[in-house]
Amino acid sequence: QSVLTQPPSASGTPGQRVTISCSGSSSNIGSNTVNWYQQLPGTAPKLLIYSNNQRPSGVPDRFSGSKSGTSASLAISGLQSEDEADYYCAAWDDSLSYVFGTGTKVTVL
Amino acid sequence: QVQLVQSGAEVKKPGASVKVSCKASGYTFTSYGISWVRQAPGQGLEWMGWISAYNGNTNYAQKLQGRVTMTTDTSTSTAYMELRSLRSDDTAVYYCARDYVDTAMVGYWGQGTLVTVSS
């Protein structure tokens, strides 16, 4: 079972800002960096943010990440219809495993 | 560009084994590790383990210890994941994924391989 907790859903209208939280513990987010993934329907996940707040080449700057203590957040500004997807946070855990969040489904209203 | 191409869908009976391949291209294979991640139907992502393509060192998820083996063939730039004693709850899409950079795992993903376990 996932050890990183995310809200099951989030939504917004086009152009709005949406924020997704990711809550962990001292053994994962508290001591290691956080990555975020976007999974469009029927496709493989894609790396969206790495090392807390870095964007891979090609990821729009509408996506941003942050971390504070044992929690992290992903923000999507200027929400677009193509942002409708599942989003997962992830981090290395000191128990020697890579743990994913429970996932958040973003709906564009 | 980095590409990871996985083998095709499999249907297995309970108790059988499955071996999924992941052929890498577009980079130096031995420079990055590869993780395997699975996703049961309608569920979230589960990390299964990681293998160094440099020296073959592995780190398996505790839940799968004893049932999973990850290997690489550097001559063909291919990674393999074998899962034994299959159960119905092993039905999932299995992904391979390359480390993004030294400090970030699970960056580039394969297209996924559906493994169905059914009697």
Side-chain angles (χ1 to χ4, degrees):
Chain A
Q1 63 277 19
S2 302
V3 298
L4 304 182
T5 303
Q6 300 178 231
S9 62
S11 62
T13 56
Q16 275 191 328
R17 176 184 170 94
V18 169
T19 301
I20 300 168
S21 62
C22 174
S23 178
S25 68
S26 58
S27 66
N28 40 68
I29 294 178
S31 52
N32 298 289
T33 60
V34 178
N35 301 328
W36 288 90
Y37 301 89
Q38 176 193 59
Q39 186 175 31
L40 297 169
T43 70
K46 166 191 167 184
L47 182 64
L48 204 60
I49 296 288
Y50 69 99
S51 297
N52 301 328
N53 54 19
Q54 302 299 302
R55 283 185 307 275
S57 174
V59 173
D61 59 7
R62 304 185 292 103
F63 295 93
S64 62
S66 63
K67 185 184 104 167
S68 178
T70 59
S71 294
S73 293
L74 174 72
I76 310 172
S77 59
L79 192 66
Q80 298 182 5
S81 58
E82 57 261 39
D83 298 334
E84 193 158 283
D86 293 325
Y87 293 83
Y88 295 90
C89 59
W92 182 253
D93 190 283
D94 293 342
S95 63
L96 301 183
S97 63
Y98 190 69
V99 291
F100 286 97
T102 49
T104 299
K105 182 175 183 63
V106 169
T107 301
V108 181
L109 301 170
Chain B
Q1 71 283 19
V2 175
Q3 277 198 311
L4 300 172
V5 178
Q6 300 183 220
S7 49
E10 304 259 15
V11 179
K12 296 292 183 182
K13 293 195 183 303
S17 299
V18 68
K19 191 169 187 177
V20 179
S21 68
C22 169
K23 184 168 177 58
S25 62
Y27 70 98
T28 301
F29 182 68
T30 52
S31 294
Y32 297 90
I34 288 185
S35 287
W36 289 87
V37 176
R38 69 180 180 178
Q39 186 171 36
Q43 301 301 308
L45 302 171
E46 179 186 13
W47 181 79
M48 301 176 67
W50 174 91
I51 181 168
S52 165
Y54 174 71
N55 58 18
N57 286 350
T58 55
N59 179 14
Y60 300 138
Q62 190 170 10
K63 172 183 176 181
L64 296 172
Q65 287 272 3
R67 284 210 300 141
V68 67
T69 301
M70 297 175 187
T71 57
T72 59
D73 181 345
T74 56
S75 69
T76 60
S77 299
T78 303
Y80 299 91
M81 185 284 299
E82 181 180 35
L83 188 61
R84 300 176 293 278
S85 302
L86 290 168
R87 309 185 291 245
S88 58
D89 61 356
D90 291 317
T91 294
V93 176
Y94 289 75
Y95 296 100
C96 63
R98 197 207 85 172
D99 292 349
Y100 185 65
V101 291
D102 284 351
T103 55
M105 296 174 63
V106 192
Y108 296 96
W109 295 67
Q111 86 276 17
T113 297
L114 175 62
V115 175
T116 303
V117 182
S118 174
S119 54

